[in-house]
Amino acid sequence: MKDYQRGPVLLRGKNVPTTTTSGRLLAQQDTPDWVHGDPWRVMRIQSEFVEGFGALAEVGSAISVFGSARSKPGAADYEAAVEIGTKLVEQGFAVITGGGPGVMEAANKGASEAGGSSIGLGIELPHEQGVNEYVNLGMNFRYFFVRKTMFVKYAQGFIVLPGGFGTFDELFESLTLVQTKTITRFPIVLFGHSYWDGLVAWLRDVVAADGKISPADLDLIMVTDDVDEAVAHVVTSVKPPAERS
């Protein structure tokens, strides 16, 4: 029987909902009753921020690792994520993921087995619940925007492996924050030339060429197939020279 975690509440069987908290918040309202109900949601949103800040405040230096939940053990991106998680811990970083399966599980596995902080920030979704077994500090969020704040606030950089819409969402949000100088000293690594080169070419040959972004904005991204190079890039970008090993 599949467990469904809604905040601190465990649901099973017929009690598993078919909608999510975020979905209900954003749904079109047919009556003005939302005027009386929605303000109370603010308290729940506030509590998620407070709980997240409290749980993660002492994490220290960390890198968020993103990628597909559908990758399987033995796949190239899964095994690369394990190695990335291991080497980030060896460089003194905690590893933050979305807490789910696939690449997220792999990065958490590498971090946990290396004896480091392996953090999973899960989300309430009907088809994807709970955090993977390699997480040693985990939270489940109701609201995507609260969870996404935690990814950026408590990480000093992103390493992004092949993934789908969720991965793209995190990637482009982080690029926007860096481009607008909302956050600084925030390296972004795309791992896997065969997966990401087409996107980078489109950004260069269409988006930048049409003047929608500056050509210099492409310098915000580093693409590599090498785990050591990916880890070295975030370490070099984040740590002062005296702290680099």
Side-chain angles (χ1 to χ4, degrees), residues 160-182:
V160 188
L161 288 90
F165 287 154
T167 302
F168 303 154
D169 179 38
E170 296 296 345
L171 168 62
F172 280 103
E173 178 154 9
S174 64
L175 283 171
T176 301
L177 292 172
V178 178
Q179 181 202 45
T180 58
K181 302 189 186 305
T182 304

Side-chain angles (χ1 to χ4, degrees), residues 146-206:
V146 180
R147 178 188 187 225
K148 289 164 73 175
T149 299
M150 302 302 158
F151 280 136
V152 175
K153 179 173 175 58
Y154 292 103
Q156 283 73 55
F158 284 175
I159 296 179
V160 188
L161 288 90
F165 287 154
T167 302
F168 303 154
D169 179 38
E170 296 296 345
L171 168 62
F172 280 103
E173 178 154 9
S174 64
L175 283 171
T176 301
L177 292 172
V178 178
Q179 181 202 45
T180 58
K181 302 189 186 305
T182 304
I183 53 176
T184 57
R185 293 185 66 196
F186 200 89
I188 300 169
V189 176
L190 302 183
F191 189 86
H193 276 287
S194 63
Y195 195 85
W196 296 112
D197 278 356
L199 173 64
V200 174
W202 175 74
L203 291 173
R204 181 187 63 242
D205 299 338
V206 178

Side-chain angles (χ1 to χ4, degrees), residues 25-26 43 52 58 69 78 82 86 96 165 191-192 215-216 223:
L25 171 67
L26 299 173
M43 303 300 292
E58 298 180 0
Y78 186 101
V82 173
T86 299
I96 302 175
F165 287 154
F191 189 86
V223 187

